[in-house]
């Protein structure tokens, strides 16, 4: 059942509450990446053009619920909006649940929803309070679509009208189109630290992709099927499942690794075949030959799905594999889809945003969607659409 979108609803001069995903990295009150803000901006601007009074709500970080913590305040985001929308009257509200008088400016930024008791538990009373703020509720936070929380889920049940935002629909349409009928060959890159958090994604994506590249701690679990991996991060309880998956589908595993050799307080590093790793060594990145193999496969791809780094990219010495694959994807003529928090960090690090065909704002939602799950926010939007 198709969702109703903000462009299909009469919002002229109405009060429109947009649930955005403004969970951006902030250090010393400075926004380090505005990617998620810019992604939802078209929905906000569309509503402003219709002369609606626009309210923006979002979470930020993981504060203790019910406690106001200035380290997780959306005030820096309010200041950012004042800079990028200088021609609009903008207000910040941290008492919005106590003053439901609808005395809003053209654009009002609400304080972190996770400061409100009941947010994470999808509390009915809190959802009703949110719903009472507006005439139309717009869900534009695809990155939160997998969560049943008061501001992302139950509010839809009580709002006068609910619909999907422009970003929300763009995410769904882009992912659906390129997962159902991708141009081939399709290559997927699944990296990260734990195979347990992405095993269902791996099972789903290996059925779709012609080749699946695994990296990071996920690859280590596959390497450990037949090799000693020393002190490397892996999940032994998933070795048998990884073996079955590798035997059934085309999964490309590193054949050599950049390892850290631990020696008392110090360490050195070297490239080694995966069959030659010693007990005091730890896999930190792909090796030279593995990188060559991965690049060769990526250069022939017509569709690339990318989630997660393939090494400990935070450390300069162990960034080579992630950098090589990221830049190969950026230089590729394939349609590339990237998603996940660490993936977005890599994209920012190497300044390749303009060269990725589609960047999803979702992390967990992105993974659950490509896993084939029906996201709860999509289900409830379908149920209560008017």
């Amino acid at each position: 059942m198709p969702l109703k979108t903000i462009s299909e609803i009469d919002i002229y001069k109405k009060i429109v509450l947009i649930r955005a995903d403004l969970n951006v990295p902030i250090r010393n009150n400075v926004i380090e990446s505005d990617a998620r803000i810019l992604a939802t901006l078209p929905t906000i601007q569309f509503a402003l053009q219709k002369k609606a009074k626009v309210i923006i709500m979002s979470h930020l970080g993981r504060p203790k619920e019910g406690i106001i913590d200035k380290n997780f305040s959306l005030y820096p985001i309010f200041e950012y909006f004042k800079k990028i929308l200088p021609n609009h009257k903008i207000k910040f509200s941290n008492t919005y649940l106590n003053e439901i008088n609808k005395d809003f400016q053209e654009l009002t930024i609400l304080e972190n929803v996770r400061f409100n008791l009941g947010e994470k538990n999808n509390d009915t009373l809190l959802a009703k309070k949110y719903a009472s703020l507006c005439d139309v509720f717009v869900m534009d936070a695809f990155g939160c679509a997998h969560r049943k929380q008061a501001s992302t889920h139950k509010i839809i049940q009580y709002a006068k009208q609910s619909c999907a935002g422009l970003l929300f629909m763009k995410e769904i349409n882009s992912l659906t189109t390129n997962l159902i009928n991708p141009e081939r060959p399709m290559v997927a890159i699944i990296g990260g630290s734990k195979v347990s958090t992405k095993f269902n994604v791996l099972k789903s994506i290996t059925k779709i992709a012609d080749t699946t590249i695994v990296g990071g701690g996920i690859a280590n679990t596959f390497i450990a099927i037949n090799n000693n991996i020393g002190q490397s991060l892996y999940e032994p309880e998933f070795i048998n499942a990884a073996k079955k998956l590798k035997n059934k589908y085309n999964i490309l595993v590193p054949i050599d690794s950049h390892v850290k050799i631990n020696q008392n307080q110090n360490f050195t590093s070297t490239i080694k075949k995966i069959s030659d790793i010693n007990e005091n060594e730890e896999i930190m990145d792909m090796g030279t030959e593995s990188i060559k193999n991965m690049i060769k496969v990526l250069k022939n791809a017509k569709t690339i799905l990318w989630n997660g780094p393939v090494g400990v990219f935070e450390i300069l010495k162990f960034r080579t594999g992630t950098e090589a694959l990221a830049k190969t994807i950026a230089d590729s003529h394939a349609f590339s889809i990237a998603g996940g928090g660490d993936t977005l960090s890599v994209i920012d690090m190497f300044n390749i945003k303009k060269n990725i065909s589609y960047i999803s704002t979702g992390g967990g939602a992105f993974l659950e969607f490509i896993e084939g799950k029906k996201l709860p926010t999509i289900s409830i939007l379908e149920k209560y659409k008017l």
Side-chain angles (χ1 to χ4, degrees):
M1 185 186 298
L3 301 181
K4 183 155 283 188
T5 67
I6 188 173
S7 59
E8 298 174 281
I9 289 179
D10 177 17
I11 61 169
Y12 181 70
K13 290 190 175 181
K14 291 184 178 179
I15 300 175
V16 175
L17 175 59
I18 300 173
R19 177 47 163 106
D21 182 3
L22 305 180
N23 186 28
V24 298
I26 299 175
R27 184 177 297 179
N28 298 322
N29 290 324
V30 176
I31 295 171
E32 296 183 323
S33 172
D34 60 359
R36 282 179 169 158
I37 300 176
L38 296 178
T40 200
L41 195 57
T43 301
I44 297 169
Q45 290 175 320
F46 178 85
L48 289 171
Q49 288 166 4
K50 297 292 184 178
K51 299 188 184 301
K53 284 194 173 183
V54 181
I55 312 168
I56 308 296
M57 69 190 319
S58 176
H59 76 283
L60 179 66
R62 296 181 179 179
K64 188 172 181 180
E65 192 170 281
I67 295 176
I68 297 172
D69 185 340
K70 66 179 182 180
N71 294 314
F72 297 99
S73 174
L74 263 71
Y75 196 84
I77 293 172
F78 160 67
E79 294 284 359
Y80 179 89
F81 270 107
K82 287 200 296 185
K83 292 177 182 177
I84 62 172
L85 296 172
N87 297 322
H88 293 277
K89 294 179 181 179
I90 304 178
K91 175 184 176 182
F92 181 76
S93 176
N94 54 11
T95 57
Y96 53 93
L97 294 182
N98 300 323
E99 54 171 38
I100 305 177
N101 56 15
K102 301 186 179 179
D103 180 24
F104 301 116
Q105 294 291 344
E106 288 180 79
L107 180 63
T108 300
I109 311 297
L110 304 185
E111 183 56 286
N112 195 336
V113 294
R114 288 190 177 171
F115 290 173
N116 303 324
L117 281 172
E119 168 63 20
K120 291 183 181 179
N121 293 330
N122 207 17
D123 181 74
T124 297
L125 180 60
L126 182 59
K128 287 181 176 179
K129 285 185 176 182
Y130 289 153
S132 69
L133 294 172
C134 65
D135 301 310
V136 179
F137 172 72
V138 181
M139 180 59 181
D140 210 34
F142 179 78
C144 307
H146 61 309
R147 296 192 178 108
K148 285 186 177 181
Q149 297 184 350
S151 69
T152 63
H153 189 264
K154 190 155 281 190
I155 183 178
I156 295 167
Q157 183 176 342
Y158 297 106
K160 295 173 187 174
Q161 277 190 296
S162 295
C163 64
L166 302 179
L167 172 62
F168 197 88
M169 288 309 303
K170 185 178 180 182
E171 293 268 15
I172 293 172
N173 292 336
S174 294
L175 291 173
T176 301
T177 300
N178 290 285
L179 290 176
I180 290 178
N181 189 26
E183 193 173 356
R184 298 191 180 276
M186 177 185 178
V187 178
I189 301 172
I190 306 295
S193 58
K194 293 184 177 181
V195 72
S196 57
T197 60
K198 296 184 180 180
F199 192 74
N200 288 334
V201 174
L202 273 171
K203 286 199 295 185
S204 296
I205 208 65
T206 49
K207 296 175 185 176
I208 303 168
D210 297 287
T211 304
T212 301
I213 294 170
V214 290
I218 292 173
N220 295 347
T221 301
F222 282 87
I223 293 171
I225 294 171
N226 295 311
N227 301 279
N228 170 50
I229 58 169
Q231 298 178 13
S232 307
L233 174 69
Y234 80 114
E235 293 175 283
E237 65 273 24
F238 274 87
I239 288 179
N240 286 335
K243 184 178 181 180
K244 290 178 182 178
L245 206 60
K246 189 174 183 299
N247 288 339
K248 190 172 183 179
Y249 299 105
N250 186 21
I251 299 176
L252 197 54
V253 180
I255 57 173
D256 63 344
S257 299
H258 192 172
V259 301
K260 181 172 76 169
I261 305 169
N262 298 305
Q263 298 172 329
N264 298 321
Q265 298 293 328
N266 301 314
F267 75 86
T268 57
S269 67
T270 188
I271 306 291
K272 301 192 77 171
K273 292 181 179 179
I274 58 171
S275 57
D276 296 337
I277 296 171
N278 297 318
E279 288 297 335
N280 67 329
E281 295 172 347
E282 182 179 0
I283 297 172
M284 303 293 281
D285 194 7
M286 290 182 173
T288 309
E289 293 305 311
S290 298
I291 293 170
K292 288 180 182 177
N293 288 345
M294 309 303 185
I295 288 175
K296 185 177 180 180
V297 171
L298 286 171
K299 283 186 174 180
N300 290 323
K302 294 292 179 63
T303 303
I304 300 172
L305 177 71
W306 173 26
N307 176 260
V310 296
V312 188
F313 74 100
E314 297 91 344
I315 300 174
L316 180 61
K317 183 174 283 190
F318 305 118
R319 191 176 293 169
T320 307
T322 299
E323 181 175 10
L325 268 58
K327 289 184 175 179
T328 301
I329 295 168
D331 292 338
S332 172
H333 294 296
F335 187 90
S336 52
I337 307 169
D342 284 340
T343 313
L344 298 181
S345 296
V346 171
I347 289 169
D348 285 341
M349 179 180 287
F350 301 123
N351 195 28
I352 57 173
K353 182 178 178 180
K354 292 180 180 178
N355 301 102
I356 305 299
S357 307
Y358 187 76
I359 298 174
S360 173
T361 57
F366 173 82
L367 292 175
E368 290 191 18
F369 193 92
I370 63 177
E371 186 183 322
K373 287 184 177 179
K374 188 67 171 287
L375 302 183
T377 295
I378 295 176
S379 296
I380 198 168
L381 276 171
E382 290 177 342
K383 183 177 180 181
Y384 287 99
K385 75 171 188 173
L386 296 176

